[in-house]
């Protein structure tokens, strides 16, 4: 039997969309021994603008609950909401920090940090999202200094449809959007099974492949002072 992980090195608090089925299993697979995960959920299953904004309504309550776990850092972990706009991102972070009294980050911030760490400027952005979300994300990342060479989504209407996309489908979808000028590929969304094939895709593309979950784990670990390298999920966690 594996040793029970009580977070003796660090505890990570996570505010997660209620419909998310992928982030926690992937985080548990990626987090090194002694780093524990403590999740509070906020209502979000759909993809409409109304759905996304509603996730933020009770963020203070969720932040307080995450702080109760003894978390050393709280991450607001939803790509579509945190990249909705820079203004919303900053508002969420400020509200979570005030309510929790803890250091705070967000998926959006983690992805930007990860891409910069990799020295990536020109990006291919892929997602399960509808067009409206992809357009907002492209604006967000362009404002952060990246060139979006290509973006495409799978038009999934909700979290269950996003989770239903197989790793094999993500592999084929990404390879279909190979771009000779790309510095890196971003597979956006926290509730998809893209991390499963990140390393395989890197070998095929010859470029880094970053997912929302690999970026968040990497950024949260480094922010908490955990320098462990993690194998099996791409060069970001393996080499940086």
């Amino acid at each position: 039997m594996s040793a029970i992980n009580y977070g003796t090195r660090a505890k990570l608090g996570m505010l997660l969309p209620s419909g998310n089925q992928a982030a926690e299993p992937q985080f548990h697979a990626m987090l090194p021994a002694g780093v524990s995960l403590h999740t509070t959920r906020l209502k979000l299953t759909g993809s409409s603008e109304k759905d996304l904004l509603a996730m933020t309504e009770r963020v203070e309550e969720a932040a307080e609950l995450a702080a109760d776990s003894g978390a050393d850092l709280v991450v607001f972990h939803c790509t579509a909401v945190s990249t909705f706009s820079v203004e919303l991102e900053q508002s969420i972070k400020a509200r979570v920090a005030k309510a929790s009294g803890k250091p705070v980050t967000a998926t959006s911030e983690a992805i930007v940090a990860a891409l910069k760490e990799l020295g990536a400027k020109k990006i291919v952005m892929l997602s399960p999202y509808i067009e409206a979300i992809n357009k907002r994300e492209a604006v967000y990342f362009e404002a952060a200094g990246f060139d979006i060479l290509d973006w495409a989504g799978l038009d999934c209407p909700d979290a269950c449809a996003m989770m239903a996309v197989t790793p094999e489908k993500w592999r084929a979808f990404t390879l279909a959007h190979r771009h000779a000028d790309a510095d890196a590929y971003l597979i956006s969304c926290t509730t998809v099974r893209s991390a499963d094939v990140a390393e395989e895709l890197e070998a095929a593309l010859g470029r880094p492949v970053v997912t929302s979950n690999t970026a968040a784990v990497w950024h949260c670990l480094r922010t908490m002072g955990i320098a462990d390298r993690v194998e099996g999920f791409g060069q970001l966690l393996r080499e940086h």
Side-chain angles (χ1 to χ4, degrees):
M1 182 180 293
S2 299
I4 297 173
N5 182 8
Y6 289 116
T8 52
R9 299 171 67 196
K11 295 179 173 66
L12 176 61
M14 180 163 67
L15 308 187
L16 190 67
S18 57
N20 193 304
Q21 303 171 47
E24 289 158 309
Q26 290 178 20
F27 271 54
H28 286 304
M30 297 177 204
L31 290 174
V35 182
S36 58
L37 179 68
H38 307 272
T39 304
T40 298
R41 290 175 179 264
L42 289 161
K43 183 66 176 178
L44 177 63
T45 58
S47 295
S48 73
E49 183 173 323
K50 181 180 178 181
D51 292 330
L52 298 177
L53 294 176
M55 184 185 171
T56 71
E57 291 175 358
R58 300 178 66 182
V59 74
E60 284 85 1
E61 178 184 356
E64 290 175 0
L65 294 174
D68 287 346
S69 72
D72 298 295
L73 173 72
V74 177
V75 56
F76 180 90
H77 196 42
C78 177
T79 321
V81 174
S82 60
T83 62
F84 191 95
S85 70
V86 173
E87 293 76 18
L88 184 61
E89 173 200 47
Q90 295 305 311
S91 172
I92 291 169
K93 287 181 59 186
R95 290 167 62 193
V96 172
K98 183 177 180 180
S100 67
K102 301 289 185 177
V104 174
T105 190
T107 322
S108 50
E109 186 175 55
I111 293 170
V112 169
L115 292 172
K116 289 183 176 179
E117 175 71 17
L118 292 165
K121 173 73 173 179
K122 298 177 181 179
I123 309 299
V124 171
M125 187 184 81
L126 305 172
S127 82
Y129 299 139
I130 59 174
E131 185 176 14
I133 295 177
N134 282 320
K135 285 183 175 179
R136 283 193 295 266
E137 284 205 10
V139 169
Y140 176 90
F141 289 117
E142 286 169 350
F146 302 102
D147 295 331
I148 308 300
L149 301 176
D150 183 22
W151 60 262
L154 294 172
D155 294 317
C156 296
D158 55 38
C160 286
M162 295 173 187
M163 187 64 182
V165 180
T166 64
E168 292 74 24
K169 171 68 173 178
W170 282 114
R171 182 184 186 280
F173 187 55
T174 306
L175 291 177
H177 289 274
R178 183 194 300 262
H179 197 297
D181 296 330
D183 297 324
Y185 293 77
L186 168 63
I187 306 180
S188 178
C189 186
T190 65
T191 189
V192 292
R193 293 184 283 164
S194 54
D196 307 50
V197 290
E199 188 132 311
E200 181 182 354
L201 280 168
E202 288 188 341
L205 294 165
R207 297 290 187 273
V209 174
V210 174
T211 78
S212 292
N213 287 334
T214 60
V217 169
W218 171 81
H219 182 63
C220 289
L221 287 174
R222 303 304 176 255
T223 300
M224 294 188 296
I226 304 294
D228 297 42
R229 301 310 197 242
V230 180
E231 298 286 338
F233 299 98
Q235 69 172 270
L236 176 68
L237 281 161
R238 186 181 66 248
E239 299 177 10
H240 298 269

